[in-house]
Amino acid sequence: MMASTGDYSTMEQHDTLINLSLTSNLITGEDIKPMLQRCQRLRRLVMDKCSPTVFDPINKYAPNLEILSYNNLDVPDLSSSAAGQPQGLRNIYTNNGGTSVPTKDIFPLIYKNMATLKTAYLNISALSQQEVQQLSTVYPDFKLWNLESLTFWTKNQTELFIIQALRGVTTLSFLSLLNVKNLNAIVTVIKNMPPVRELRIEHTHGTTNNLGLVELFRNYSTHDQKQRALSIAYFRKSTVITDSVLNSLADVTTLRSITLKSLDYITTEGIRNFLEKTAGQLTYLKLCDMEVVTNECIMMISCAKPSTEVYLENLPSIKNQGILAMVNNKGPQFKRLTIKNCKSTTKDCVQYAKKNVKIVTYE
């Protein structure tokens, strides 16, 4: 991989360069245009601190690009070979939070590569209904047929425009939704698709915006387990996650891993019931930043014999009694316990846990 800073217009012809990382105070389309024209074999391009003007020259002058990162450094490396694969962008990553990328700037590139895209990490700007209609006219039949992983922050009509491109798609296995406004409408689309393996919801609010989730998990609970099924759930800082949602999710018997973090609309009873219903199936459980997680809840974890890892962080209501009861009732498959910033637990309790659990981390 070549890393470059500064004036990219002076870059010489590179017929073999396939992996390039750029950083500067500001990277513009005019900066990278000559470089792209001289590096036609590029398969991976990672840029830090760039403006939306870079998308136009990339769309025109990077025919072999497979991985593109815009202000996001957490991206995968190239696969060993692209032999036998159709030409086109496979992974696109925008910035993680912060200012949204103007949809009008990035969309031509997405549309051009819609048949080959497998991973889309999109933090894109809001569109009016009129702008959505214009996009639909200029770029007809937009469909992400081969998408496997979608993460997006969108607003208003934009999220509906993107999610409609998934109707009839059977390949999506990872879905991460952040700050979405039309959750029920999104669920209406995805419930008619094969289940995703991993579902993440963060910063999504509205106590009437979750009825679709309850129905979605009911559908997942009756899905053929021999096919792809939900196994990982991650929920953080979202008022749409309530006791009724957890209760419905607990009926999904393929669920193996769950993270519940900073959820203000679930109760002690809701968590206790969830852990009781999922006893015997979870292999990873992470509970963070919730006062409603009590000793009573932790004691229910002891019923989940196959659990291999439990992570407890910033749970002020957890005390030694709960930890000791969980450890004493755990079977030999209980191999890892992490206790972080649970101030009502003591080192003596942790020392006892270390005698019964293979790996214990206490911070």
Side-chain angles (χ1 to χ4, degrees):
M1 180 182 76
M2 175 179 287
S4 180
T5 61
D7 185 2
Y8 314 117
S9 64
T10 61
M11 185 174 289
E12 299 178 356
Q13 189 81 22
H14 279 276
D15 295 328
T16 59
L17 182 64
I18 63 172
N19 196 348
L20 180 62
S21 178
L22 303 176
T23 185
S24 181
N25 291 330
L26 179 64
I27 303 171
T28 68
E30 287 301 313
D31 292 332
I32 66 169
K33 178 180 176 180
M35 179 272 295
L36 292 174
Q37 291 173 320
R38 295 169 186 154
C39 304
Q40 291 283 290
R41 299 288 298 277
L42 270 182
R43 293 172 52 202
R44 181 178 184 266
L45 176 60
V46 178
M47 299 175 294
D48 188 28
K49 299 182 177 64
C50 50
S51 81
T53 58
V54 299
F55 292 113
D56 183 61
I58 290 171
N59 198 22
K60 293 177 180 176
Y61 304 113
N64 292 297
L65 201 62
E66 298 172 30
I67 299 174
L68 172 63
S69 174
Y70 171 96
N71 298 335
N72 188 335
L73 302 181
D74 186 19
V75 295
D77 291 328
L78 282 168
S79 59
S80 57
S81 173
Q85 299 184 18
Q87 189 179 63
L89 196 62
R90 285 165 179 74
N91 297 24
I92 186 168
Y93 302 87
T94 65
N95 45 296
N96 183 356
T99 304
S100 300
V101 178
T103 300
K104 63 180 179 59
D105 291 324
I106 194 174
F107 189 75
L109 182 65
I110 295 174
Y111 184 81
K112 179 181 179 180
N113 295 278
M114 63 181 178
T116 56
L117 271 176
K118 292 186 176 181
T119 297
Y121 193 101
L122 304 176
N123 179 359
I124 55 180
S125 66
L127 294 175
S128 67
Q129 184 61 47
Q130 182 180 0
E131 288 171 325
V132 168
Q133 291 174 349
Q134 290 173 346
L135 277 184
S136 299
T137 301
V138 177
Y139 303 101
D141 304 318
F142 175 49
K143 189 72 69 172
L144 298 167
W145 284 116
N146 294 298
L147 197 67
E148 298 174 0
S149 173
L150 174 62
T151 299
F152 71 113
W153 296 255
T154 59
K155 300 173 179 66
N156 301 327
Q157 300 300 321
T158 315
E159 60 192 26
L160 299 180
F161 179 66
I162 294 295
I163 210 71
Q164 293 299 327
L166 297 177
R167 285 192 180 275
V169 172
T170 61
T171 52
L172 191 71
S173 62
F174 176 95
L175 179 61
S176 179
L177 306 173
L178 297 99
N179 196 31
V180 297
K181 307 301 182 185
N182 300 283
L183 182 60
N184 285 332
I186 292 172
V187 169
T188 298
V189 174
I190 65 175
K191 74 179 182 181
N192 292 314
M193 301 160 52
V196 295
R197 286 196 180 94
E198 182 169 352
L199 176 64
R200 301 171 67 99
I201 298 175
E202 301 178 65
H203 297 286
T204 298
H205 304 291
T207 54
T208 62
N209 198 21
N210 64 1
L211 299 178
L213 275 181
V214 174
E215 185 177 354
L216 176 69
F217 295 144
R218 285 175 182 164
N219 288 352
Y220 280 8
S221 69
T222 61
H223 190 76
D224 186 353
Q225 296 185 23
K226 295 180 181 179
Q227 301 177 18
R228 191 176 69 211
L230 180 68
S231 61
I232 301 173
Y234 180 103
F235 303 137
R236 182 173 76 98
K237 292 187 176 180
S238 296
T239 60
V240 296
I241 306 302
T242 61
D243 288 356
S244 60
V245 170
L246 285 185
N247 186 59
S248 182
L249 176 63
D251 292 328
V252 181
T253 58
T254 56
L255 186 69
R256 296 292 178 266
S257 169
I258 188 164
T259 295
L260 304 175
K261 186 172 183 178
S262 301
L263 300 171
D264 294 335
Y265 277 65
I266 57 176
T267 67
T268 298
E269 185 68 11
I271 294 178
R272 193 195 69 80
N273 288 341
F274 174 81
L275 294 174
E276 183 177 15
K277 290 180 70 173
T278 55
Q281 71 181 65
L282 295 177
T283 59
Y284 181 86
L285 171 65
K286 186 171 184 177
L287 302 172
C288 303
D289 305 319
M290 292 185 291
E291 192 170 353
V292 296
V293 178
T294 64
N295 280 344
E296 181 185 24
C297 299
I298 297 302
M299 291 174 185
M300 294 307 304
I301 298 174
S302 65
C303 299
K305 298 299 183 185
S307 289
T308 58
E309 183 169 355
V310 174
Y311 189 108
L312 309 173
E313 180 179 356
N314 194 25
L315 304 174
S317 300
I318 295 300
K319 297 179 173 59
N320 287 348
Q321 300 96 307
I323 299 294
L324 295 175
M326 179 181 66
V327 169
N328 285 333
N329 289 303
K330 259 321 190 182
Q333 293 173 300
F334 187 34
K335 295 179 178 145
R336 183 185 293 270
L337 172 63
T338 299
I339 305 172
K340 184 176 180 180
N341 198 30
C342 295
K343 297 188 181 301
S344 294
T345 59
T346 65
K347 290 184 179 180
D348 288 342
C349 173
V350 173
Q351 289 301 318
Y352 178 83
K354 287 181 177 180
K355 297 177 182 179
N356 295 272
V357 180
K358 186 175 181 180
I359 301 172
V360 177
T361 301
Y362 182 69
E363 300 176 14

